[in-house]
């Protein structure tokens, strides 16, 4: 009898602890997504810090998945310009040796974004300012003549601008 | 007005000096402006890998090349910044330097304007 009580008490204790440590996510975007079935967004990515850039790209992927989970079909474009351009190149060039682990992770996430049909566009003008040879960009990246033109064009097509700096 | 003979000579000398200065000034101004290596100095550009105000050194990583270290002395010219501490990690810089046996001496370090595009 004592043993049974001890087991029951243990089960009760652990279920309480587990329940407390993993609270259900009560937050949602229901009000913002009311009646929304499709969403279009253009992410303006320029940040030159590898750790921050990686977090931004991960957040884009998370946003995409959360929209899907909410029943919304997302259409995303990630526009790269500025110093961020250096991190979407092949190999170990254009960045410091200390930034190589993040550069590899960024390359992996760019590949993943492409599989999700998220367009990753690199501004040709920015590539010039950063002195990056166009052949050195990741194969998943689409080069566009002018990132600002793309931004304006997508905005005209109804894409919402999401600044990421 | 008739000029005295010695006045004419003085004017000629002054004109000659003026012409010489005119020719020398662009050459002097052009030094460390061209992004080239010469027999006197070498040129490198890349991003700041490290800065040590204590040791007065800067290390630069070339975009597709090796890492180069330089030491700074009182004659090193800074352009685009005033102090070594203003140079930050990943900052793009251009360096004109003289290769030495032990270390490279930076003749000029230029911090270009951040275009931001």
């Amino acid at each position: 009898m004592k043993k049974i009580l001890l087991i029951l008490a243990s089960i009760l204790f652990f279920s309480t602890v587990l329940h407390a440590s993993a609270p259900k996510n009560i937050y949602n975007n229901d009000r913002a997504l009311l009646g929304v079935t499709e969403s279009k967004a253009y992410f303006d990515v320029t940040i030159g810090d590898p750790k921050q850039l990686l977090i931004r790209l991960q957040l884009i992927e998370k946003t995409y998945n959360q929209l899907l989970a909410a029943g919304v079909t997302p259409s995303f474009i990630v526009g790269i310009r500025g110093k961020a351009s250096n991190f979407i190149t092949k190999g170990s060039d254009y960045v410091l040796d200390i930034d190589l682990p993040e550069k590899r992770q960024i390359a992996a996430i760019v590949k993943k974004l492409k599989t999700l049909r998220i367009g990753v566009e690199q501004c040709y003008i920015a590539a010039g300012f950063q002195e990056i040879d166009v052949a050195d960009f990741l194969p998943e990246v689409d080069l566009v003549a002018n990132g600002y033109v793309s931004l304006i064009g997508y905005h005209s097509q109804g894409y919402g601008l999401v600044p990421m700096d | 007005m008739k000029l005295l003979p010695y006045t004419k000579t003085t004017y000629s000398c002054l004109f000659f000096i003026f012409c010489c200065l005119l020719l020398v000034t662009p050459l002097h101004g052009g030094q460390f402006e061209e992004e080239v290596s010469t027999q006197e100095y070498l040129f490198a550009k890349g991003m700041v890998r490290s800065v040590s105000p204590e040791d007065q050194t800067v290390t630069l990583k070339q975009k597709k090349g090796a890492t180069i270290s330089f030491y700074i002395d009182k004659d090193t010219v800074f352009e685009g910044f005033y102090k070594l501490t203003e140079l930050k990690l990943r900052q793009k810089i251009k360096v004109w330097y003289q290769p030495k046996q032990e270390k490279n001496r930076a003749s000029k370090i230029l911090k270009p304007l951040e275009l931001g595009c």
Side-chain angles (χ1 to χ4, degrees):
Chain A
M1 186 66 188
K2 216 174 178 182
K3 261 186 179 175
I4 294 167
L5 277 174
L6 197 70
I7 291 165
L8 280 173
S10 301
I11 291 167
L12 199 71
F13 173 75
F14 282 113
S15 65
T16 313
V17 167
L18 281 172
H19 189 75
S21 61
K24 196 184 167 195
N25 188 1
I26 54 161
Y27 304 108
N28 59 56
N29 300 94
D30 289 352
R31 200 163 42 180
L33 298 175
L34 190 69
V36 178
T37 54
E38 287 179 14
S39 66
K40 295 194 278 189
Y42 181 95
F43 295 86
D44 185 28
V45 180
T46 63
I47 203 146
D49 182 280
K51 286 184 174 65
Q52 289 181 357
L53 176 61
L54 182 63
I55 291 167
R56 300 286 192 279
L57 295 175
Q58 285 168 339
L59 209 53
I60 290 171
E61 189 198 349
K62 187 174 184 168
T63 306
Y64 185 91
N65 289 330
Q66 284 186 332
L67 278 167
L68 272 181
V72 177
T73 308
S75 175
F76 283 3
I77 301 291
V78 179
I80 309 277
R81 58 187 182 90
K83 289 183 178 176
S85 312
N86 293 295
F87 294 96
I88 57 158
T89 56
K90 293 182 272 192
S92 58
D93 296 333
Y94 302 104
V95 301
L96 297 177
D97 52 342
I98 52 166
D99 296 334
L100 283 174
E102 283 82 14
K103 193 186 181 193
R104 285 188 202 108
Q105 284 180 277
I106 288 165
I109 204 158
V110 166
K111 206 169 184 176
K112 205 170 176 186
L113 293 179
K114 199 72 180 173
T115 58
L116 294 171
R117 294 189 179 179
I118 297 176
V120 181
E121 294 188 354
Q122 167 64 46
C123 171
Y124 177 75
I125 296 171
F129 280 143
Q130 297 297 321
E131 297 176 57
I132 301 170
D133 298 331
V134 291
D136 290 339
F137 284 108
L138 294 170
E140 295 83 11
V141 175
D142 301 315
L143 231 77
V144 294
N146 183 336
Y148 290 139
V149 171
S150 273
L151 196 154
I152 295 163
Y154 282 115
H155 183 72
S156 306
Q157 290 180 42
Y159 281 72
L161 171 66
V162 185
M164 290 217 139
D165 206 32
Chain B
M1 192 180 83
K2 199 177 178 183
L3 292 171
L4 293 168
Y6 66 86
T7 316
K8 204 174 175 182
T9 314
T10 311
Y11 275 121
S12 298
C13 283
L14 281 172
F15 182 72
F16 178 73
I17 292 166
F18 174 76
C19 288
C20 286
L21 281 172
L22 212 65
L23 291 168
V24 167
T25 308
L27 282 174
H28 187 73
Q31 199 177 19
F32 307 137
E33 292 299 327
E34 295 290 325
E35 295 179 8
V36 290
S37 296
T38 68
Q39 283 184 329
E40 290 168 35
Y41 56 83
L42 298 176
F43 172 74
K45 63 179 172 181
M47 60 181 86
V48 174
R49 170 66 176 84
S50 65
V51 179
S52 172
E54 295 81 27
D55 302 333
Q56 291 287 288
T57 57
V58 177
T59 304
L60 171 147
K61 159 80 172 71
Q62 297 178 97
K63 71 170 184 177
K64 283 187 170 183
T67 300
I68 314 168
S69 289
F70 312 95
Y71 75 89
I72 313 300
D73 65 17
K74 62 179 176 51
D75 296 320
T76 303
V77 177
F78 293 164
E79 194 175 317
F81 66 109
Y82 296 102
K83 291 181 289 181
L84 213 53
T85 49
E86 286 177 51
L87 292 181
K88 304 290 176 207
L89 197 68
R90 301 183 194 92
Q91 166 74 56
K92 292 215 169 160
I93 54 167
K94 295 175 182 180
V95 183
W96 288 261
Y97 65 100
Q98 290 159 321
K100 301 276 177 184
Q101 281 282 324
E102 293 167 6
K103 282 179 186 173
N104 300 308
R105 183 195 159 269
S107 305
K108 179 181 167 179
I109 301 178
L110 168 72
K111 181 181 153 188
L113 188 70
E114 295 268 339
L115 295 164
C117 176

